[in-house]
Amino acid sequence: MTLFSLAKKNIKGNFSSYLVYFISLVFSMVIYFTFVSLQYSEKIQENILLSDTMNFMFMAASFVLIIFAAVFIIYSNSFFMRKRKREVGLYSMLGLKKKTIGRMLFYENLIMGVLALAVGILFGTILSKLLSMILIHLMGSTSEIDFGFSLEAIAQTALVFMVIILFTSIQGYRLIYRFKLIELFNAAKKGEQQPKASLISSIIGVILLAISYWLILRPFPEEMTIEYIQLNYGTALIILIIGTHLFFRSVTVSLLKLTQKKKGYYYKGTNLIETAQLIFRLRGNARTFTLIAILSAATISFFGATYGGYYGNARQSEEDVPFSYSHLSKGETFDTKIEKIIKDDRQHPVKAQLTIPMVTAIGDLSFSLDYLTDPIKIISEESFNSVSSALDREYTVSLRGNEAAVIKPRLTKFTDDDFQGETINLEQPAIGEKLKMIDMVEGNVLPFDYPDFFVVVSNDKFEEIASESAPLVYKAYEVADEKATVETSKELNSLFGEDFQASSTYYLEYKEGKEGNALNLFIMGFLGLVFLAATGSIIYFKQLTEANEVKPQYDILRKVGVSRKEVSKSIKKQTLFIFGLPLLVGVIHGSAILHFTSNFMSNLIGANMFVPMLTAMLAFIGIYLLYYILTVKTYNRIVNK
């Protein structure tokens, strides 16, 4: 029998011991292969407008996945090899040379890796079709996705994971050289030392968390600069991480030790056992809990933010491009050609057709405004009210003489009080006197084109201004079912040119926004799923390690009269603490970050972030709940059966 065949028989005979590590390998490979398959999918690239952006985003996300998968597999392998130290020590005691044992471990890990790679690619191929359909649906496309293999994805996945597997195989080979024989046999007997509760560390941890929350939640300054963002939120992140670590390392230990002083609670039922177990385990889990809490907070906040962008895309598109089609008039021949193309589209009949004259002028405000106002864009009261009527808006204006109303600039937080009673002095001889601002209204008229400072004046005043300066004339059309005007929008876009910074057609602006936000949502949701699964697996692995180590202690408890039902209840309570503590901290951290994000996103896109925030948290809690149930059942089976 060769050493290679011995390794195969060892795997076959002890596959239950290999199962957790094997599942970790398969999970990592499925996730990566699925993601790379989407990156190389020609069908997806054919059906989106942002194919170049998609390639870059998928490439960047794939790099993140490689790093995370490598760390996750190495961690899983270290857990698996820790369980096998006693077995390796037995081989050594029976007389096998270290070199021989090392080669056997190398072959075993290599076989496991190759087998997991085959299974991962198989399941990844099946899963990639499902995720492709989800991505296409998020982007608003109805294209059919074919089932097939991606040779590029297979080659890339095989290359990446063979490198990782070779690294972990070398780690296994070196195991026999890193430890003495006595250390291999006693590896499972090394318990955690009881941590000392430091009052100073606990106070510092609470103070740092309070400072980080204050930095994150304090109102935005009037002038938001890059330097402010880097200094304020960079400092908050560093303090948050340090404070979280001190919280798990000192604050929780102090709180648990306080419960030991409450004799009525401490000596009731199995509370003594549970409290002692948790105190002894906290020092070893402090770093893990910190990592999980920070990753959880990042996952919740990133997913919530990207979902918020996707959730508010339609509203943002309506803000940027109010009409289905808008263009600058370029003569009767050009305008007639555009009108004919729009009206020939019988599936999307015209609901409103407007002509919007606009005059640009230079002027001075009677007060300082932190916004670029030159040139000022002036439209008439009639034009604004016609736009409001065509788009079913509630805002209308009624102006006389030199009265004027400001249309709220996009992405600003200006209110009526900022303009009420102020004046504009236009450099126009026909004005005679200053324009007095009496109101601020909402409702953009033309596609976004910075500077975005529009002023509405009375019809008579607009005629006076237009007599001095010839207005620019814009044509606008509102059609039925504007989200589906695919062919007409593409044809018109090639004729419009660069009239605005935003697209001149609503469909293209909406479609590009939806695709971009769908990509962000899909990638962040995908990475978030990986992070959640990995953090849940980390806790699961650590709990299984503990279960094997404390099994003799639970045997003693049953011998002294503790029932299996009481042991099972104790396991549930301890596991709930282990899962619930980083979950709770992660949710609180994520809520704070999402509060900041929601304020920022509300200013940016005007979206209500409550639904995205709730969705992210419920998804997070649901996944952790599944891991909790699985861990309780496995832990109970190990120590209580």
Side-chain angles (χ1 to χ4, degrees):
M1 180 179 290
T2 64
L3 196 60
F4 193 79
S5 61
L6 178 62
K8 289 194 296 182
K9 286 181 69 67
N10 198 16
I11 293 174
K12 186 177 180 181
N14 299 280
F15 191 72
S16 59
S17 300
Y18 290 81
L19 187 59
V20 174
Y21 178 54
F22 182 76
I23 291 174
S24 301
L25 284 172
V26 171
F27 172 78
S28 301
M29 293 170 183
V30 166
I31 293 296
Y32 184 78
F33 176 77
T34 303
F35 205 77
V36 176
S37 296
L38 297 178
Q39 179 182 345
Y40 289 110
S41 174
E42 295 181 359
K43 195 71 174 180
I44 292 179
Q45 295 190 27
E46 290 173 0
N47 287 277
I48 68 172
L49 301 175
L50 303 176
S51 57
D52 293 336
T53 303
M54 188 200 79
N55 288 332
F56 173 77
M57 292 176 66
F58 270 80
M59 188 180 301
S62 298
F63 180 73
V64 174
L65 272 177
I66 290 173
I67 297 175
F68 202 81
V71 173
F72 181 52
I73 290 175
I74 292 170
Y75 179 87
S76 302
N77 182 65
S78 65
F79 160 78
F80 176 64
M81 295 309 298
R82 181 179 179 181
K83 289 184 63 177
R84 299 197 62 199
K85 284 180 181 179
R86 191 178 184 87
E87 176 191 342
V88 171
L90 183 60
Y91 286 140
S92 183
M93 190 176 70
L94 291 174
L96 287 180
K97 295 180 179 180
K98 288 186 176 182
K99 182 178 180 181
T100 304
I101 298 173
R103 286 174 58 194
M104 185 186 69
L105 294 175
F106 180 89
Y107 290 149
E108 286 181 14
N109 195 66
L110 193 60
I111 293 171
M112 289 285 291
V114 173
L115 182 61
L117 184 61
V119 175
I121 290 176
L122 176 62
F123 280 97
T125 302
I126 299 172
L127 187 61
S128 64
K129 178 175 173 61
L130 173 63
L131 292 180
S132 297
M133 294 170 60
I134 293 174
L135 179 57
I136 288 293
H137 176 72
L138 287 174
M139 290 181 173
S141 177
T142 57
S143 300
E144 293 292 330
I145 300 296
D146 299 329
F147 185 86
F149 285 93
S150 171
L151 295 178
E152 296 94 338
I154 293 174
Q156 184 170 324
T157 304
L159 177 62
V160 168
F161 281 94
M162 284 309 299
V163 171
I164 297 174
I165 291 166
L166 284 174
F167 179 80
T168 55
S169 298
I170 293 171
Q171 272 192 321
Y173 181 87
R174 294 177 59 239
L175 173 68
I176 189 64
Y177 294 98
R178 293 203 307 268
F179 299 97
K180 297 178 181 179
L181 183 60
I182 189 66
E183 292 176 332
L184 293 172
F185 276 104
N186 291 327
K189 297 181 181 179
K190 294 180 179 179
E192 301 286 350
Q193 294 182 349
Q194 182 174 2
K196 296 180 180 179
S198 172
L199 180 61
I200 296 177
S201 296
S202 300
I203 294 173
I204 293 174
V206 172
I207 292 174
L208 289 178
L209 287 176
I211 293 174
S212 65
Y213 273 54
W214 176 74
L215 291 173
I216 293 171
L217 298 176
R218 65 176 175 172
F220 296 142
E222 293 185 2
E223 294 185 9
M224 179 78 81
T225 63
I226 298 297
E227 292 76 12
Y228 173 84
I229 293 174
Q230 291 175 344
L231 179 62
N232 187 79
Y233 299 108
T235 303
L237 177 61
I238 295 172
I239 294 176
L240 184 68
I241 294 173
I242 298 173
T244 303
H245 180 70
L246 290 176
F247 174 82
F248 289 123
R249 186 180 179 87
S250 298
V251 178
T252 51
V253 174
S254 300
L255 294 176
L256 285 172
K257 288 200 171 187
L258 283 176
T259 62
Q260 290 180 318
K261 297 180 180 180
K262 296 182 179 180
K263 305 302 181 183
Y265 170 82
Y266 186 60
Y267 291 109
K268 182 180 179 180
T270 56
N271 290 340
L272 182 150
I273 301 169
E274 295 150 12
T275 306
Q277 286 272 20
L278 292 172
I279 290 176
F280 272 93
R281 291 295 176 185
L282 273 175
R283 181 177 290 276
N285 288 329
R287 292 180 182 177
T288 303
F289 284 178
T290 302
L291 174 65
I292 291 172
I294 297 300
L295 278 177
S296 301
T299 301
I300 290 174
S301 57
F302 288 156
F303 179 77
T306 52
Y307 184 55
Y310 183 80
Y311 190 70
N313 175 63
R315 180 172 178 178
Q316 176 65 23
S317 299
E318 290 173 0
E319 288 287 321
D320 287 343
V321 185
F323 284 94
S324 304
Y325 311 108
S326 308
H327 72 92
L328 177 64
S329 175
K330 298 177 182 178
E332 184 177 351
T333 303
F334 178 83
D335 295 348
T336 302
K337 180 180 179 181
I338 296 297
E339 182 178 354
K340 183 177 184 305
I341 294 173
I342 294 172
K343 292 185 175 180
D344 284 346
D345 186 357
R346 304 298 182 185
Q347 294 182 344
H348 305 94
V350 176
K351 298 193 298 182
Q353 179 178 350
L354 281 74
T355 298
I356 306 172
M358 182 187 76
V359 175
T360 59
I362 304 298
D364 297 322
L365 300 182
S366 61
F367 67 106
S368 177
L369 184 67
D370 184 24
Y371 194 83
L372 182 62
T373 59
D374 285 333
I376 296 172
K377 299 171 182 178
I378 304 171
I379 63 172
S380 68
E381 169 190 346
E382 180 183 5
S383 294
F384 181 82
N385 291 339
S386 297
V387 170
S388 294
S389 175
L391 298 178
D392 297 324
R393 293 173 176 170
E394 61 181 28
Y395 285 100
T396 58
V397 294
S398 178
L399 304 170
R400 294 179 301 176
N402 282 3
E403 294 178 343
V406 174
I407 300 177
K408 182 180 178 181
R410 296 168 175 90
L411 311 180
T412 65
K413 298 177 67 176
F414 296 137
T415 64
D416 291 342
D417 294 337
D418 293 313
F419 301 101
Q420 197 82 29
E422 302 292 346
T423 60
I424 304 176
N425 184 23
L426 296 180
E427 297 180 4
Q428 288 272 23
I431 300 301
E433 55 186 280
K434 299 178 181 179
L435 295 177
K436 183 179 180 181
M437 291 179 281
I438 64 169
D439 194 10
M440 186 194 77
V441 294
E442 296 187 26
N444 300 303
V445 175
L446 294 171
F448 180 75
D449 192 33
Y450 189 78
D452 185 39
F453 194 75
F454 279 79
V455 174
V456 185
V457 298
S458 66
N459 297 330
D460 293 339
K461 184 60 64 178
F462 184 82
E463 290 181 4
E464 292 180 20
I465 298 173
S467 65
E468 292 286 327
S469 178
L472 297 171
V473 179
Y474 290 90
K475 301 289 185 177
Y477 300 84
E478 184 69 8
V479 303
D481 195 17
E482 59 186 0
K483 293 181 180 179
T485 56
V486 183
E487 299 301 328
T488 303
S489 293
K490 290 181 179 179
E491 182 179 0
L492 291 175
N493 192 62
S494 62
L495 299 174
F496 284 154
E498 301 295 331
D499 291 344
F500 307 99
Q501 292 169 353
S503 176
S504 294
T505 64
Y506 172 84
Y507 168 78
L508 290 179
E509 187 71 17
Y510 170 78
K511 181 65 173 174
E512 288 185 1
K514 187 167 186 176
E515 287 183 357
N517 285 300
L519 278 173
N520 289 331
L521 176 62
F522 183 81
I523 290 174
M524 293 311 305
F526 205 90
L527 293 177
L529 176 64
V530 175
F531 292 164
L532 286 177
T535 53
S537 297
I538 289 172
I539 299 179
Y540 177 73
F541 289 151
K542 291 187 76 69
Q543 289 297 96
L544 292 191
T545 303
E546 177 189 337
N548 286 284
E549 292 175 356
V550 302
K551 187 177 185 303
Q553 300 174 24
Y554 281 97
D555 291 337
I556 295 172
L557 286 176
R558 286 197 303 272
K559 289 177 182 179
V560 298
V562 180
S563 67
R564 294 183 186 275
K565 184 178 180 180
E566 289 177 316
V567 170
S568 179
K569 183 179 178 181
S570 175
I571 291 170
K572 290 179 182 178
K573 290 170 68 176
Q574 290 183 64
T575 307
L576 181 62
F577 183 89
I578 295 297
F579 273 96
L581 187 60
L583 168 65
L584 179 62
V585 174
V587 167
I588 294 174
H589 286 357
S591 300
I593 298 172
L594 268 177
H595 179 77
F596 154 75
T597 307
S598 65
N599 290 336
F600 185 77
M601 295 291 283
S602 296
N603 293 334
L604 186 62
I605 63 175
N608 186 339
M609 289 289 292
F610 176 75
V611 173
M613 289 169 64
L614 185 62
T615 303
M617 290 181 183
L618 289 178
F620 179 77
I621 293 171
I623 292 174
Y624 255 50
L625 182 62
L626 293 176
Y627 269 106
Y628 166 74
I629 295 171
L630 176 63
T631 304
V632 167
K633 289 184 176 181
T634 308
Y635 199 114
N636 193 57
R637 186 173 62 248
I638 293 173
V639 304
N640 203 27
K641 297 292 184 182

